[in-house]
Amino acid sequence: MSTPRLALVTCSDFPELHPEDAPLIPALAERDIAAEAVIWDDERVDWSVYDMAVLRSTWDYSSRRLEFIEWARSVPRLVNPPNVVRWNSDKHYLQALEDHGLPVVQTTWLEPEHGYDKRALHNRFPAREDFVIKPAISAGSVGAGRYTATDANSRRYAIEHAMRLLAEGHSVMVQRYMPKVDLHGEIALVYFHGTYSHAMKKEAALTDVGEVAVQDGADVETVQRYKATPAEIEAGQQALAFARARIPGRSLSSRPLAYARVDMVPAGDGEPVLMEMELVDPRLHLSVGRRSLDRFADSLAAELRMGPDAANIDLA
């Protein structure tokens, strides 16, 4: 039997993979899998030579989402698959989670076709506490800003921010800022084939009022290892189970995704509140320890052995 070939898909900003993912290559070699970094939009690549392609640091796709989705559909065997990429790369999926009854951060959606004027935007912003404005399609904290509802200048800047995004054709999210993020941080729970692996606590990215200055959140996260509670682990698994049933082409009878990250505000007196579900190319924080790296490598090896999942068919 020939050695399976696996493409770890990245972008031109990280041609040799993000440093956190680079140890995957020797870890997979230990499992008799030949893995290499491949740039997703390199037109010279013949994707058919790979037994499987795995999305990793493709963090430049948000400004070219439609192109990225078309590329994903052209790859013979992509993990996570194209139907997941399409569903999860637009944060409108959060509305589906909320409609399902899952505890999700409160969000108001502003669509560019509605032609809001400044007064209309003012009336759609929260009347008190801080809130966040960001595009529905983005990577990390790019395009996001935190504002104070009761401060006239801050509110004016928020209106200008939203109008600029809408004028550029972006759907805009207006979210209540969760104070617990400042107090406790945001937690990221990682799952491989639906099984909880590990968790990290991330410091708040929007620590100052105003539009965030970083261009790419991929390298500026400050994280530490975190012991997730049973309630948090269960909340993440519930969100992933809903996604399996909701994503076109998938159902509860299909196998769980090879990898997933669920971000939430830690549980306090009530339920954990979901912030995001990252199923495309999330940082998986494999540097927390060798066991995390091994679990991911084992997950990819198992995915190769199981063969294509019929639920990965793209229906668009």
Side-chain angles (χ1 to χ4, degrees):
M1 254 180 109
S2 61
T3 301
R5 293 188 66 186
L6 189 150
L8 296 171
V9 188
T10 184
C11 64
S12 57
D13 291 335
F14 299 96
E16 302 300 325
L17 297 174
H18 187 275
E20 187 176 79
D21 284 326
L24 268 175
I25 293 178
L28 289 166
E30 292 174 2
R31 292 155 176 82
D32 297 320
I33 299 169
E36 60 184 300
V38 188
I39 297 172
W40 74 270
D41 58 352
D42 185 343
E43 296 181 354
R44 299 168 298 177
V45 176
D46 178 3
W47 295 98
S48 68
V49 304
Y50 296 102
D51 297 280
M52 191 168 75
V54 181
L55 291 169
R56 292 314 308 130
S57 43
T58 56
W59 294 320
D60 62 351
Y61 79 81
S62 61
S63 61
R64 304 155 60 192
R65 176 175 175 262
L66 294 180
E67 178 185 349
F68 186 70
I69 290 171
E70 286 302 308
W71 165 82
R73 294 175 64 191
S74 74
V75 178
R77 187 175 174 195
L78 187 69
V79 175
N80 283 327
N83 49 355
V84 175
V85 172
R86 189 185 337 103
W87 186 81
N88 189 240
S89 58
D90 184 332
K91 292 183 177 63
H92 280 90
Y93 72 83
L94 289 171
Q95 185 64 59
L97 297 178
E98 184 177 12
D99 291 345
H100 185 67
L102 297 177
V104 178
V105 61
Q106 181 181 341
T107 304
T108 298
W109 302 90
L110 307 174
E111 306 300 341
E113 62 268 21
H114 290 174
Y116 302 102
D117 59 20
K118 292 183 178 180
R119 178 173 293 276
L121 291 178
H122 172 82
N123 291 336
R124 284 164 174 78
F125 291 167
R128 56 191 177 88
E129 300 181 339
D130 284 6
F131 61 97
V132 174
I133 288 176
K134 59 185 176 182
I137 299 171
S138 64
S141 298
V142 175
R146 175 179 172 183
Y147 302 96
T148 300
T150 55
D151 182 277
N153 282 332
S154 185
R155 204 172 181 89
R156 176 168 58 84
Y157 295 142
I159 291 172
E160 293 173 355
H161 184 179
M163 291 199 76
R164 183 174 70 254
L165 291 174
L166 290 165
E168 294 170 353
H170 297 287
S171 294
V172 173
M173 307 166 67
V174 183
Q175 293 185 316
R176 176 188 170 223
Y177 188 79
M178 306 295 289
K180 286 183 180 178
V181 174
D182 287 337
L183 295 173
H184 305 293
E186 183 178 328
I187 64 171
L189 288 84
V190 176
Y191 299 81
F192 298 131
H193 280 128
T195 300
Y196 170 72
S197 170
H198 59 281
M200 302 294 292
K201 181 184 288 188
K202 305 187 294 180
E203 289 186 3
L206 301 177
T207 53
D208 299 317
V209 173
E211 191 168 353
V212 71
V214 299
Q215 294 301 306
D216 187 340
D219 276 331
V220 298
E221 289 182 339
T222 301
V223 300
Q224 58 182 308
R225 192 162 188 169
Y226 175 77
K227 183 175 176 58
T229 67
E232 291 161 352
I233 294 170
E234 175 64 20
Q237 288 173 326
Q238 287 181 359
L240 291 173
F242 169 74
R244 284 173 66 191
R246 177 75 180 187
I247 296 171
R250 300 195 69 83
S251 68
L252 288 174
S253 63
S254 62
R255 67 173 177 256
L257 297 171
Y259 61 86
R261 197 187 83 200
V262 181
D263 296 350
M264 61 182 71
V265 176
D269 297 333
E271 295 180 286
V273 177
L274 296 173
M275 305 290 286
E276 290 193 44
M277 182 188 300
E278 298 279 0
L279 309 179
V280 180
D281 53 358
R283 285 190 65 177
L284 299 174
H285 307 296
L286 302 175
S287 58
V288 299
R290 175 70 184 184
R291 291 181 63 191
S292 303
L293 176 65
D294 283 341
R295 281 192 286 265
F296 189 31
D298 286 341
S299 175
L300 297 180
E303 190 75 16
L304 268 171
R305 288 194 302 269
M306 288 185 285
D309 184 350
N312 292 349
I313 298 170
D314 193 82
L315 302 182

